[in-house]
Amino acid sequence: MGTSNHVDLETYTKQVAEQAKAASRQMASLPGGTKIAWLRASAQCLRDHTSDILAANKQDIAAAPGYGLSDAQIDRLRLTPERIEGIASALEEVASLRDPIGSVIDSTVRPNGLRIDKVSCPLGVVFFVYESRPNVTADAAAICAKAGNAVILRGGKEAIHSSQAIVAQLALAAKEHGVPEHAVQLVDTTDRAAVGHFLKLSQLIDVAIPRGGEGLIRRVVAEATMPVIKHFNGNCHVYVHADADLSMAEQILINSKCQRMGVCNACESLLVHKDVAAEFLPSVAKALAANDVEIRGCEQTCQILSQAVPATEEDFGAEFLGPIISCKVVDSVEQAIDHINRYGSGHTEAIITTSLEPARLFAEGADSSAVMINASTRFNDGGEFGLGAEIGISTDKFHARGPCGIEELTTYKYIVQGQGQVRG
Amino acid sequence: MGTSNHVDLETYTKQVAEQAKAASRQMASLPGGTKIAWLRASAQCLRDHTSDILAANKQDIAAAPGYGLSDAQIDRLRLTPERIEGIASALEEVASLRDPIGSVIDSTVRPNGLRIDKVSCPLGVVFFVYESRPNVTADAAAICAKAGNAVILRGGKEAIHSSQAIVAQLALAAKEHGVPEHAVQLVDTTDRAAVGHFLKLSQLIDVAIPRGGEGLIRRVVAEATMPVIKHFNGNCHVYVHADADLSMAEQILINSKCQRMGVCNACESLLVHKDVAAEFLPSVAKALAANDVEIRGCEQTCQILSQAVPATEEDFGAEFLGPIISCKVVDSVEQAIDHINRYGSGHTEAIITTSLEPARLFAEGADSSAVMINASTRFNDGGEFGLGAEIGISTDKFHARGPCGIEELTTYKYIVQGQGQVRG
């Protein structure tokens, strides 16, 4: 970490990116055992320096009200010995994941004797832009490096001291284990203009990954000259088909909406088949009311539920991230699919049904990263999918879709072995 | 095909893209058998309407000198009954490829009983921008549609009549077989501004694929708001290691450079280990001279070869696409790798060696889409890799790298099957 005053941000960001590119070349051929030893040693360093990290975190907590952070946000920012232990164990978990580099993904021997191997390899340099929580600093560094990449971390100013203290421990362990010094770099200026400079460096940075509010993500997408892994938001739907087990439907809807309201895989919109609307809606409305959730409904919904507020066009497109849900009665699974593809964000959709055909149509037709059949939308998550740690969830269709773990931070190359073959 | 006068290009391009998006929804669930029947019927329609297509092509050939096309370019533009038969058989070959949609790529059952299937599905809408040759129109339409996508074809003005005649046959067969009318659309204006309008429509178009000169590709990349599959150019290297079989090395170098000089996987630069430079260079220089290839060499090369011209820094970064090759003597495989990663374009590199360790280091270290061990660079090609037809070659690391066939025109979604699971 250099000085935090950079007269010339352009020079500084270019230097950081060039260092990352050089480190990425070394990371690509670093033995898997070295990465494991480093991540485990980093975990131990975090534990051994708990008091240093807590002291740094105290500075962030003290500054937090000045940044206008809410109590809930300050709580997420706060570190405790238990939370530091959690960060350390997460590093050990990433260490124990299967090394994703060097696997032969596909292979063929051609009639002329050429062996064509498609082999996994790192993406190169990852630029990760994120907000507040300090544990994300350690998680992102670990997952990017485990996939053989160099990473440039640009955390929020709110957690800068905590992040610096954490990265200092990773650097200490890196030096011990021969991991390149610049494999993990934390941007040491909180000047927002630095992000714009990094986003211009497509020759040096292979992918940008923003994680945080929609404003941050839209800014990164607008300015990036390299590919971006992202989701803007999650307007997830639960569709209750005519033949659904209505008690299961209610449990799944309530879990999808209420288990944690501020997350991208929470349900924001309920679609109900007309044949069961009159039976299902009054019951689910009670359960939603018990969770203080307001219902904004279509005309038919409002006819059934006197407490529902008429929904606007914007409500059907909204990610509320809080105690509001939109609701629409539909005529068929096809109409549910059309509604989702029109208003949805391509994140997660669930169907509750007992029949094969609507399940098949919905799974095929809903153009989203994940489709749940008789399960909560909240399961669209790297850990829940068994992928291990995730760096984010993608609603794009290019490169990676859904939860992005270490596999999604890799690419491939073709390695072709011959015995002198030339083309005729 | 509407009129070719569009007062309002923005309205026209948006309409085409919206039609494509709607068609892509239908294409995603079109049975594989329908796609096969349509492609075969299209091939037959092309054969049955050979004279119409030849007449249309005659118009393009007549207009070609006005566009300043060279004789070689006019020859590539020209259709004959044999070439039309070739286009028809290519459609049949694409028809017979394995359907890439709906495969379970990966699958796991979680401890809570959730089945997580990662299933291949189409990308959606492909915007393909290309130059001159009319056969590309049919190939691209077939490969995109076989992968379940809708495609917007923007061919060069030089081949517009031929392309229209070909697409008319595909449309005829589409109608017969229930393939959506707008699955394949040929942009019917040659106004260059139309491309810019399409490139703004990231909500409707999932990927842009430019194929042609570097100028076209740079323009598309600069203006595109959606992902792009592309390579700017191919500065491919052949590296001859100290222990190489020099006769094999010469055959591979000459094939890589001379078998077809104007293509992206042709060799543009020769790297030779210092220990064999004095023996190898005079012999290979003779063979290059026999092919009228000029050598632009480093200082050591020029000391060995009196006929070599001193190379500039630009020469080492150049894609000559013609009878020039750059040449550098290096001290080690590591130096060869560094040179390639500095001056190369990430396309194709070959090493000639008899030893395992330099082969391994080179394959791992050269950051390119394909690395050839003892084989010609000319093999980096979808057909040669056994992938079937290709829409292009990517030097990017994101989504697809190397030859892009139908698999690379797909993405995936997660389909999760439960029995009422909620998240605790």
Side-chain angles (χ1 to χ4, degrees), chain A residues 25 29 255 259 363-364 366-367 369 371 373-374 378 384 397 399 401 411-414 416 418 420 423-424, chain B residues 25 29 255 259 363-364 366-367 369 371 373-374 378 397 399 401 411-414 416 418 420 423-424:
Chain A
R25 303 270 185 224
S29 51
N255 185 262
Q259 196 246 354
E364 204 168 86
D367 192 9
S369 83
V371 175
I373 300 165
N374 297 326
R378 292 278 293 115
E384 296 295 330
K397 299 182 188 177
H399 185 76
R401 197 177 195 193
T411 180
Y412 59 83
K413 63 168 41 162
Y414 286 95
V416 178
R423 198 161 158 184
Chain B
R25 303 270 184 224
S29 50
N255 185 262
Q259 196 246 353
E364 205 168 86
D367 192 9
S369 82
V371 175
I373 301 165
N374 297 326
R378 293 276 295 114
K397 299 183 188 177
H399 185 76
R401 198 178 195 193
T411 180
Y412 59 84
K413 62 168 42 163
Y414 286 97
V416 179
R423 196 161 160 186

Side-chain angles (χ1 to χ4, degrees), chain B residues 262-297:
Chain B
V263 291
C264 62
N265 58 14
C267 174
E268 304 290 7
S269 194
L270 168 64
L271 305 177
V272 187
H273 192 282
K274 63 177 167 39
D275 292 354
V276 286
E279 185 184 351
F280 182 65
L281 285 178
S283 158
V284 84
K286 249 186 245 171
L288 286 168
N291 285 279
D292 297 317
V293 176
E294 173 189 324
I295 298 172
R296 299 193 181 165

Side-chain angles (χ1 to χ4, degrees), chain A residues 115-314:
Chain A
R115 163 172 292 280
I116 318 272
D117 289 340
K118 186 174 177 179
V119 179
S120 64
C121 58
L123 277 173
V125 176
V126 178
F127 176 45
F128 184 57
V129 193
Y130 57 107
E131 289 172 344
S132 44
R133 293 191 307 163
N135 63 310
V136 175
T137 300
D139 285 356
I143 188 175
C144 289
K146 176 81 182 183
N149 300 293
V151 61
I152 300 169
L153 301 166
R154 173 44 149 91
K157 60 182 179 313
E158 304 81 1
I160 185 77
H161 297 99
S162 312
S163 291
Q164 282 173 343
I166 289 168
V167 169
Q169 298 311 316
L170 270 67
L172 204 68
K175 206 169 175 180
E176 247 173 63
H177 289 274
V179 169
E181 182 186 354
H182 298 117
V184 176
Q185 294 181 91
L186 180 70
V187 177
D188 69 349
T189 167
T190 54
D191 190 333
R192 290 191 63 189
V195 173
H197 285 290
F198 280 116
L199 293 175
K200 284 187 196 135
L201 302 175
S202 60
Q203 294 302 310
L204 297 169
I205 296 174
D206 294 284
V207 59
I209 308 180
R211 203 160 104 188
E214 191 170 340
L216 168 73
I217 298 168
R218 292 216 175 264
R219 186 194 160 201
V220 168
V221 168
E223 295 184 24
T225 55
M226 66 287 289
V228 179
I229 295 179
K230 56 105 196 355
H231 66 269
F232 287 127
N233 55 45
N235 177 15
C236 305
H237 297 74
V238 171
Y239 166 59
V240 180
H241 194 56
D243 65 358
D245 173 333
L246 295 185
S247 123
M248 181 195 287
E250 183 173 320
Q251 282 172 45
I252 288 176
L253 187 270
I254 296 298
N255 185 262
S256 298
K257 178 65 206 171
C258 305
Q259 196 246 354
R260 212 170 140 201
M261 295 203 193
V263 292
C264 61
N265 58 14
C267 173
E268 304 289 7
S269 194
L270 168 63
L271 305 177
V272 186
H273 192 281
K274 63 177 165 45
D275 291 354
V276 286
E279 186 184 349
F280 182 65
L281 285 177
S283 159
V284 84
K286 251 186 243 170
L288 286 168
N291 285 278
D292 297 318
V293 176
E294 174 189 324
I295 299 171
R296 298 193 182 166
C298 67
E299 212 181 306
Q300 282 174 275
T301 304
C302 291
Q303 279 166 7
I304 298 167
L305 299 175
S306 57
Q307 68 271 48
V309 178
T312 64
E313 191 79 358
E314 286 71 47

